[in-house]
Amino acid sequence: MAQRTSTSVTSLFSNPLALGGLAAVVGLIAGSLIPTFESEERAFGSTANKLRASGRDAAQDLADKGGRVVNQALDTARESADREGLSPDKPIGEAVAALKSGELIASVKQVAADALEAGKGAAHAEAAPAQPTHGTDQA
């Protein structure tokens, strides 16, 4: 677990775009939690409200994208587990035999690898800028 956390932190710091996005979200959340003073409200009222709304929208968009990534990884993990024969209704004798033979560990590793790849793919797809469509409906 500590190794995975260390790898995730290293990956985050080696990706400036992800780090910048994380810093922006943390800043927006922190800024929205700090109360405003009446003098600030008079001076920046309309602009501050627009910035807060924009920050909330950006945070919601990021949360939505994260949810889609997690759902894709979970769906893939379920499908992979089914393909690998990992199910709660498997007889205990078969499960013990699979554990002793090493087959269970190999199956679990495969499910984890499949879920990780699906999560990476979904994260890249969510992070990619929207591609313009070249359909027939455009004027």
Side-chain angles (χ1 to χ4, degrees):
M1 179 73 172
Q3 177 65 32
R4 258 187 299 177
T5 302
S6 173
T7 302
S8 297
V9 169
T10 301
S11 294
L12 180 64
F13 283 108
S14 66
N15 185 344
L17 186 61
L19 186 59
L22 179 63
V25 169
V26 169
L28 287 170
I29 291 170
S32 69
L33 296 175
I34 298 172
T36 58
F37 294 102
E38 192 175 314
S39 58
E40 291 175 322
E41 197 61 43
R42 280 194 308 269
F44 304 112
S46 175
T47 302
N49 289 338
K50 288 177 186 174
L51 284 172
R52 277 190 214 106
S54 177
R56 277 192 300 269
D57 292 347
Q60 183 62 54
D61 184 50
L62 187 60
D64 291 344
K65 287 180 178 183
R68 288 191 293 269
V69 169
V70 168
N71 284 333
Q72 179 63 45
L74 287 174
D75 288 346
T76 299
R78 281 187 206 103
E79 292 167 6
S80 181
D82 287 343
R83 278 193 311 275
E84 293 291 325
L86 300 175
S87 67
D89 56 337
K90 189 173 196 171
I92 191 72
E94 287 181 31
V96 170
L99 179 61
K100 287 181 179 178
S101 72
E103 181 183 324
L104 180 62
I105 292 172
S107 293
V108 169
K109 284 181 180 180
Q110 184 60 51
V111 169
D114 290 347
L116 181 62
E117 283 303 310
K120 284 180 181 179
H124 285 292
E126 290 293 338
Q131 298 295 321
T133 56
H134 300 288
T136 57
D137 292 33
Q138 293 187 354

